[in-house]
Amino acid sequence: MAYSTILFDADGTLFDYDRAEEFALASSFRKYGIQFSQERNSLYREINDGKWKQFEAGVISKDELQTSRFAGLFAALGIANIDAARFNKDYLGYLACGSELIDGAVEVCRSLSATMRLAIITNGIATVQLSRFSKSEIKDYISYMFVSEEIGYAKPDARYFDFVFDRMGPLGKPGVLVVGDSLTSDIQGGVNYGLDTCYYNPRKLENLSGIKPTFEIGSLAEIFDWI
Ligand SMILES: [Mg+2]
């Protein structure tokens, strides 16, 4: 398939969110005098993932997501007297500094951008995502950046994709490929909208979701085997 446009998810697809997140959590823990450990990092991830799923399902707002993930973490750790909203603000400040990329991201974006238009479609928080993007090595290869918070809808909502198509248009759906590491937001969003999808699955997780990507890759460079 000849694609004219590629819509890349940001976190876990182009950006190494795991590293950025761990740095941000360890730094904020240090600031508040809380002991950091890998167990606590994993616990936070689990809680945060659950909150993002609730957000993507429209159950909670972005503000609720941001405070309740830390309120939940502190409750689970038996830590009292920390204002979760204030802690979240500090955390986001550290997170905005993390612009490490996934292996191959620079080369893949550089190469694809020679013949295609590239955009980032992300459900992240606008100030954080824009800061990380502007510090990153891929910024010159990406023509558009769409952050759900600014649009008012999040992947997989079709209205999110309506906004993207409206801005980048005129776009024919057959020429557009969605690349992402989340079956429930990226791949489901693309499938629902009638787009081809590429599931970036570096840990080779078994797909039990029933959501079927057009193709799957284990490293970003493998995209060249398909397009
Ligand atoms: Mg992702």
Side-chain angles (χ1 to χ4, degrees):
M1 180 68 216
Y3 298 106
S4 65
T5 304
I6 304 201
L7 308 178
F8 278 105
D9 168 52
D11 289 325
T13 302
L14 294 176
F15 288 89
D16 190 339
Y17 190 68
D18 289 354
R19 275 166 68 193
E21 190 177 55
E22 185 174 324
F23 166 79
L25 193 67
S27 303
S28 352
F29 268 27
R30 194 177 315 117
K31 179 167 181 181
Y32 284 77
I34 308 167
Q35 180 84 35
F36 178 80
S37 68
Q38 282 309 324
E39 290 71 35
R40 290 179 166 197
N41 191 39
S42 303
L43 177 64
Y44 168 69
R45 272 199 195 160
E46 207 176 291
I47 294 171
N48 187 44
D49 283 353
K51 296 294 177 190
W52 272 100
K53 290 217 163 63
Q54 288 183 307
F55 169 69
E56 283 163 8
V59 177
I60 57 172
S61 70
K62 183 63 68 73
D63 282 350
E64 286 166 333
L65 178 165
Q66 293 188 59
T67 38
S68 68
R69 58 187 177 179
F70 291 116
L73 176 67
F74 297 147
L77 294 176
I79 294 170
N81 302 322
I82 293 181
D83 179 346
R86 200 165 64 97
F87 185 93
N88 179 68
K89 199 157 173 275
D90 288 321
Y91 172 82
L92 294 182
Y94 291 118
L95 192 60
C97 302
S99 57
E100 291 95 345
L101 297 166
I102 297 281
D103 282 348
V106 177
E107 296 74 15
V108 165
C109 289
R110 181 191 297 130
S111 173
L112 295 177
S113 70
T115 54
M116 302 170 202
R117 281 198 304 174
L118 309 185
I120 286 180
I121 54 168
T122 173
N123 279 357
I125 292 150
T127 49
V128 173
Q129 297 304 65
L130 293 168
S131 160
R132 293 168 67 215
F133 176 67
S134 67
K135 291 187 177 94
S136 78
E137 272 185 87
I138 53 172
K139 67 176 192 306
D140 295 337
Y141 310 122
I142 309 282
S143 315
Y144 297 84
M145 168 119 179
F146 299 101
V147 186
S148 60
E149 192 178 44
E150 293 181 323
I151 296 175
Y153 302 105
K155 297 174 290 182
D157 195 315
R159 290 169 291 187
Y160 180 97
F161 290 90
D162 281 340
F163 185 95
V164 171
F165 271 62
D166 195 49
R167 277 298 163 86
M168 295 186 75
L171 272 182
K173 287 186 181 180
V176 179
L177 176 70
V178 174
V179 182
D181 71 314
S182 164
L183 287 165
T184 51
S185 60
D186 307 319
I187 307 307
Q188 184 74 75
V191 168
N192 289 351
Y193 209 67
L195 307 175
D196 278 6
T197 54
C198 166
Y199 176 34
Y200 172 59
N201 181 16
R203 282 175 227 152
K204 307 265 193 288
L205 304 172
E206 196 180 350
N207 179 0
L208 301 169
S209 68
I211 303 164
K212 296 235 181 326
T214 312
F215 59 91
E216 180 172 328
I217 56 177
S219 72
L220 288 178
E222 279 176 36
I223 200 168
F224 297 117
D225 296 344
W226 296 90
I227 68 175

